[in-house]
């Protein structure tokens, strides 16, 4: 059953680097008749601290986020990475604490944006754009934690004038991995070099993903290599092609 309202957790990377993706995600939800609630004090999902082993600090951040979404509404997140943290790691993070039940209940309400659009809202799209070729990057957390594989492609398949050219190494990591790229910069650089070579081989002028962090890394590498390929969040791409002018 379609909910009347949802919370929207924008993520810090979307907020700072891809705000148009967050706005597009909200518009896609609103078009389906869903009221979107955006708590202004939201910040990070706590994943960086959690991945570095600073669990007490991560709990403090996660505690603050959960408090901002008190009503029993779905929490929609335009990122497989942040959604994975909130849905699968919050319960573990609060294991053995008085807040464990709260974390479990909160996690059960978390949805990645494209999964929510497809699996809950059953969105049907009308393509209003001209012929375009794109390629698609699947993020590691989206794939392996959220099981995000068919939903983005189901949305893209509804765009009659869009051709998706698959990457040969779509399921490989782009090398970002949050703090991984800081701790192991040489390995990270080698991985993203492989990724942008794969992107270039498709001939597509646009690379899409549902994770802004991946796009930040891939886009930076493309720019440094002098490539004109544009990194775009799927929500932004979908909204641009399907909104009425």
């Amino acid at each position: 059953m379609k909910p009347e309202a949802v919370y929207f957790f924008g993520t810090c990377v979307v907020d700072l680097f891809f705000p148009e993706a967050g706005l597009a995600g909200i518009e896609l939800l609103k078009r389906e008749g869903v009221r979107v609630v955006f708590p202004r004090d939201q910040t990070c999902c706590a994943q960086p601290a959690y991945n570095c082993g600073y669990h007490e600090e991560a709990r403090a951040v996660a505690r603050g986020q959960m408090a901002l979404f008190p009503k029993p509404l779905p929490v929609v997140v335009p990122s497989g990475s942040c959604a994975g943290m909130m849905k699968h790691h919050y319960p573990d993070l609060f294991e053995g604490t008085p807040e464990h039940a709260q974390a479990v209940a909160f996690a059960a309400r978390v949805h990645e944006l494209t999964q929510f659009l497809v699996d809950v809202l059953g969105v049907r799209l009308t393509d209003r754009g001209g012929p375009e070729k794109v390629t698609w990057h699947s993020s590691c957390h989206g794939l392996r934690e959220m099981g995000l594989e068919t939903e983005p492609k189901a949305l893209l398949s509804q765009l009659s004038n869009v051709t998706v050219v698959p990457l040969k190494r779509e399921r490989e990591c782009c090398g970002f991995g949050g703090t991984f790229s800081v701790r192991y910069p040489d390995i990270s650089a080698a991985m993203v070099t492989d990724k942008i070579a794969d992107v270039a081989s498709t001939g597509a002028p646009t690379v899409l993903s549902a994770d802004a962090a991946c796009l930040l890394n891939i886009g930076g590498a493309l720019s440094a290599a002098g490539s004109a390929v544009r990194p775009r969040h799927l929500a932004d791409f979908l909204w641009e092609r399907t909104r009425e002018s």
Side-chain angles (χ1 to χ4, degrees):
M1 186 169 127
K2 184 185 348 182
E4 293 184 2
V6 301
Y7 285 118
F8 195 83
F9 182 81
T11 86
C12 48
V13 178
V14 165
D15 179 40
L16 293 172
F17 298 101
F18 296 91
E20 68 282 356
L23 293 171
I26 289 171
E27 292 298 335
L28 288 167
L29 293 165
K30 287 170 59 180
R31 188 169 61 190
E32 298 303 312
V34 177
R35 182 169 61 89
V36 179
V37 181
F38 186 93
R40 289 194 164 204
D41 293 332
Q42 60 181 274
T43 57
C44 178
C45 68
Q47 186 179 125
Y50 179 76
N51 286 348
C52 290
Y54 294 101
H55 287 188
E56 189 51 51
E57 290 81 357
R59 275 189 286 272
V61 175
R63 193 178 291 121
Q65 301 316 296
M66 290 193 297
L68 294 171
F69 303 87
K71 295 181 181 179
L73 300 174
V75 180
V76 181
V77 188
S79 161
S81 180
C82 299
M85 175 66 195
M86 300 172 101
K87 190 169 191 70
H88 297 291
H89 297 296
Y90 273 21
D92 291 340
L93 184 61
F94 286 96
E95 182 73 44
T97 75
E99 295 141 301
H100 183 247
Q102 179 192 3
V104 170
F106 176 82
R109 295 191 282 128
V110 173
H111 302 259
E112 188 275 336
L113 173 63
T114 64
Q115 290 176 325
F116 193 79
L117 291 173
V118 173
D119 301 335
V120 179
L121 299 183
V123 167
R124 301 305 304 170
L125 301 172
T126 299
D127 193 357
R128 302 179 189 280
E132 186 167 357
K133 185 161 64 173
V134 301
T135 191
W136 168 257
H137 165 72
S138 294
S139 77
C140 297
H141 289 93
L143 274 172
R144 294 166 179 85
E145 290 190 343
M146 295 301 292
L148 183 62
E149 190 158 10
T150 61
E151 291 88 350
K153 293 173 183 177
L155 292 168
L156 286 169
S157 71
Q158 296 181 35
L159 303 179
S160 56
N161 286 327
V162 173
T163 300
V164 181
V165 185
L167 293 171
K168 295 183 178 68
R169 303 161 71 169
E170 178 192 322
R171 301 176 70 89
E172 287 188 16
C173 178
C174 72
F176 182 64
T179 55
F180 173 86
S181 62
V182 177
R183 293 183 175 189
Y184 306 101
D186 293 339
I187 299 174
S188 175
M191 293 170 75
V192 77
T193 297
D194 289 342
K195 180 62 67 171
I196 65 170
D198 197 4
V199 169
S201 73
T202 67
T206 302
V207 56
L208 301 173
S209 181
D211 249 304
C214 296
L215 290 170
L216 187 65
N217 190 43
I218 294 169
L222 287 167
S223 178
S227 172
V229 176
R230 183 182 179 190
R232 295 190 69 182
H233 193 284
L234 179 61
D236 179 39
F237 183 76
L238 293 175
W239 178 243
E240 181 185 79
R241 291 197 64 93
T242 62
R243 67 182 177 184
E244 295 186 24
S245 56

